[in-house]
Amino acid sequence: MISKAPKFKPRFRLHPVAILNSQRLRRSLADTYDQKSFYKYAIGLILLLLSIGSLYYTDKLVEELEQREEREVQLYAEGLRYVFNSPFDENFNVVYQVIQDAVNFYQIPAIYVNENNLANQYINISFPKKISPQEKERIIQEKLADMKLEHPPIPVELGKNRTGYIYYSNSFLLTQLRYYPFLQLSVMLFIGYLAYLAFSSERKAEQNRVWVGLAKETAHQLGTPLSSLMAWVEYFRSDPAIDPSIAEEIEKDVIRLEMITTRFSNIGSVPTLKEEPVSEIVANFIDYLEKRVSSKVKFSVYNQLAKEQTVLLNKNLFEWVIENICKNAVDAMGGIGEIHVTLQAPPLMKEVWIDIRDTGKGMSKANMNKIFNPGFSTKKRGWGLGLTLAKRIIENYHLGKLYVKSSEIGKGTTFRISLRATIIE
Ligand SMILES: Nc1ncnc2c1ncn2[C@@H]1O[C@H](COP(=O)(O)OP(=O)(O)OP(=O)(O)O)[C@@H](O)[C@H]1O
Ligand SMILES: [Mg+2]
């Protein structure tokens, strides 16, 4: 006969094969994320190389076209010299027309300034209809000023120490070609961005399907042994030879396992959200947690919210998030330290912030970027799933935000949960 319940400390031990498998799975999850960033960088590099190639090629084209245009203007200069020095006055218009046509092929705007500094010939300059001579002169002078900045003039030797000058600017085609690579680059970047969005949203959807399937299957598999355990509890209870406190202890654990199973099955379905008194839920849950972790961890809750402040919550899932963050905090402080939870509503933001600050070892900037990736863990037996799930629960189901507000090596870390506040009437 057992007179006294044996003092047993339930200890959770994983079979060595299970540990090995868990480590493999964790590594493969982490690898998936490394691969993802590899593809991101590879696509970025290809885009960069294409852009450099395109810029280089267009630059060559621009250079060549610029040289051709300069030759055309020189031809124009030659033509003018020929015309001005021609003894055959009657042929002036015919020759001038031939030269103009040649330059017109490239549509290069050009102005001839004679030896007395008068701009008396021009080509490819458009004027509005019905324009006064003064207005026309003003436009020519403006264009001339721009051309002087653009290219050095081409001299037209007229003999007897007389020199005129032709000023010109790039043709419309050349100007467009200069901007073309930037246009091309923007289009390419835009297409790259769209492709990346499509790619990553498809990956996310796939990951979500895997999570949901895994969680549902786990909940389903746990169902049968749980009901069998419940039956065993009843059996122990009915046997007067067995200390009733054993049945009680086992029942507590079974209830806890049932709660975990419910949480897992909740992951699959769209959880129902209810208006809940958030400060009360947090305070009660911290109270519950405090009793279950080492007495060397001191918890404190500072509530700055109005008592009637509610938030749309799924209580079960939300408590799970708090539990995960606090468990990590306890791990980070090696079981000794403080956890401060502050609830506040920033003015004009319709949000409720729940800050969970610990006095643990903190984390490096590099790790801070990875902690929400599935499979990332710095713990010997960590799965690297706690924060991933917590983030999904807050961001996908509660449309809130979960992030590291601050962290300092050796000092501690603060996580912030930001939720949408319901309006207080
Ligand atoms: N409060 C904290 N202080 C310092 N580091 C932290 C803190 N919380 C999380 N981390 C880091 O983030 C990592 C990922 O945390 P996460 O909860 O996702 O996984 P885990 O705790 O390692 O494993 P598990 O899946 O069992 O939760 C941790 O391994 C730890 O390095
Ligand atoms: Mg964790």
Side-chain angles (χ1 to χ4, degrees):
M1 200 175 105
I2 305 168
S3 58
K4 203 163 176 262
K7 245 191 157 176
F8 71 97
K9 267 195 191 155
R11 286 191 87 193
F12 183 59
R13 278 240 177 95
L14 275 176
H15 189 277
V17 174
I19 293 172
L20 205 66
N21 282 341
S22 79
Q23 283 171 348
R24 269 192 207 132
L25 176 67
R26 199 185 78 195
R27 240 176 281 137
S28 94
L29 278 169
D31 284 353
T32 313
Y33 272 76
D34 285 350
Q35 270 174 18
K36 188 176 158 188
S37 48
F38 169 76
Y39 284 127
K40 210 160 67 183
Y41 290 126
I43 289 174
L45 189 71
I46 291 172
L47 270 180
L48 188 74
L49 287 178
L50 280 175
S51 318
I52 292 175
S54 153
L55 274 174
Y56 178 76
Y57 181 64
T58 329
D59 202 52
K60 282 264 157 248
L61 279 182
V62 165
E63 212 173 278
E64 199 168 300
L65 204 62
E66 234 167 13
Q67 280 169 4
R68 267 193 221 179
E69 291 196 352
E70 192 184 331
R71 278 203 300 278
E72 281 321 300
V73 181
Q74 270 165 350
L75 178 74
Y76 183 48
E78 275 304 307
L80 280 183
R81 183 167 50 237
Y82 175 77
V83 170
F84 289 144
N85 292 332
S86 164
F88 313 110
D89 269 2
E90 67 277 17
N91 285 338
F92 180 90
N93 276 340
V94 179
V95 178
Y96 187 61
Q97 197 55 51
V98 170
I99 293 159
Q100 260 200 345
D101 285 350
V103 181
N104 253 350
F105 180 72
Y106 285 99
Q107 306 261 306
I108 306 165
I111 298 174
Y112 170 70
V113 177
N114 72 10
E115 72 273 24
N116 300 321
N117 216 12
L118 273 177
N120 60 2
Q121 300 287 338
Y122 53 82
I123 194 168
N124 290 325
I125 292 182
S126 50
F127 301 98
K129 277 180 196 161
K130 287 188 190 160
I131 186 172
S132 67
Q134 292 88 343
E135 189 62 8
K136 197 169 181 175
E137 183 57 26
R138 191 186 60 76
I139 292 178
I140 290 177
Q141 288 308 323
E142 257 178 28
K143 298 260 182 216
L144 190 60
D146 289 345
M147 288 174 179
K148 282 182 178 171
L149 295 176
E150 221 173 299
H151 296 289
I154 297 198
V156 183
E157 303 294 346
L158 300 170
K160 296 178 194 154
N161 275 344
R162 290 180 308 142
T163 311
Y165 288 96
I166 293 179
Y167 293 90
Y168 68 103
S169 56
N170 288 338
S171 67
F172 182 58
L173 179 72
L174 187 58
T175 314
Q176 271 188 325
L177 200 61
R178 272 198 185 287
Y179 291 114
Y180 177 70
F182 297 102
L183 179 77
Q184 195 185 28
L185 203 69
S186 322
V187 170
M188 252 157 59
L189 282 180
F190 183 64
I191 292 175
Y193 177 65
L194 284 186
Y196 175 71
L197 278 190
F199 185 60
S200 69
S201 77
E202 174 49 35
R203 282 182 76 105
K204 271 192 189 142
E206 193 186 317
Q207 279 166 12
N208 276 338
R209 283 196 292 274
V210 174
W211 287 123
V212 168
L214 196 74
K216 273 212 166 299
E217 183 58 21
T218 311
H220 180 71
Q221 295 286 341
L222 279 173
T224 322
L226 270 180
S227 46
S228 147
L229 273 176
M230 219 42 194
W232 278 107
V233 170
E234 286 311 316
Y235 173 77
F236 287 163
R237 233 188 229 131
S238 63
D239 188 343
I242 298 175
D243 186 332
S245 67
I246 294 182
E248 215 170 279
E249 282 298 320
I250 297 178
E251 190 177 23
K252 268 190 209 158
D253 284 338
V254 173
I255 289 172
R256 175 119 179 93
L257 273 175
E258 265 175 352
M259 193 167 82
I260 294 170
T261 313
T262 315
R263 286 169 175 178
F264 266 84
S265 61
N266 269 351
I267 292 254
S269 47
V270 178
T272 43
L273 305 183
K274 254 176 66 190
E275 264 191 40
E276 302 272 14
V278 62
S279 50
E280 199 181 308
I281 289 189
V282 171
N284 288 344
F285 193 69
I286 294 293
D287 204 39
Y288 162 89
L289 271 183
E290 193 167 16
K291 292 192 185 114
R292 280 158 183 82
V293 298
S294 148
S295 58
K296 289 181 185 141
V297 178
K298 295 275 168 263
F299 283 84
S300 45
V301 179
Y302 309 96
N303 179 30
Q304 295 165 12
L305 296 179
K307 217 172 156 231
E308 60 276 22
Q309 179 67 64
T310 56
V311 166
L312 276 179
L313 279 184
N314 179 293
K315 188 167 172 279
N316 256 343
L317 292 180
F318 177 69
E319 286 177 347
W320 193 12
V321 171
I322 303 279
E323 186 176 338
N324 270 298
I325 298 175
C326 289
K327 268 190 187 163
N328 283 344
V330 173
D331 289 345
M333 57 179 73
I336 306 171
E338 292 165 23
I339 296 178
H340 302 272
V341 183
T342 310
L343 295 106
Q344 54 183 317
L348 306 171
M349 286 184 73
K350 294 184 190 156
E351 279 178 12
V352 163
W353 289 346
I354 301 147
D355 290 352
I356 302 175
R357 180 167 72 82
D358 64 59
T359 55
K361 61 180 177 191
M363 59 182 102
S364 66
K365 281 249 157 7
N367 281 0
M368 222 187 275
N369 293 328
K370 295 188 207 155
I371 56 167
F372 294 106
N373 289 348
F376 176 78
S377 177
T378 53
K379 300 172 193 169
K380 219 173 170 190
R381 289 200 175 164
W383 277 83
L385 288 181
L387 286 178
T388 312
L389 288 172
K391 198 170 175 69
R392 268 160 216 268
I393 288 169
I394 294 298
E395 301 195 348
N396 295 1
Y397 296 140
H398 292 86
L399 306 179
K401 289 246 162 302
L402 168 62
Y403 52 93
V404 178
K405 188 180 157 240
S406 60
S407 185
E408 214 178 312
I409 299 280
K411 291 219 165 142
T413 304
T414 306
F415 279 87
R416 172 166 286 173
I417 304 172
S418 150
L419 294 168
R420 293 169 165 200
T422 43
I423 314 291
I424 305 175
E425 299 292 325

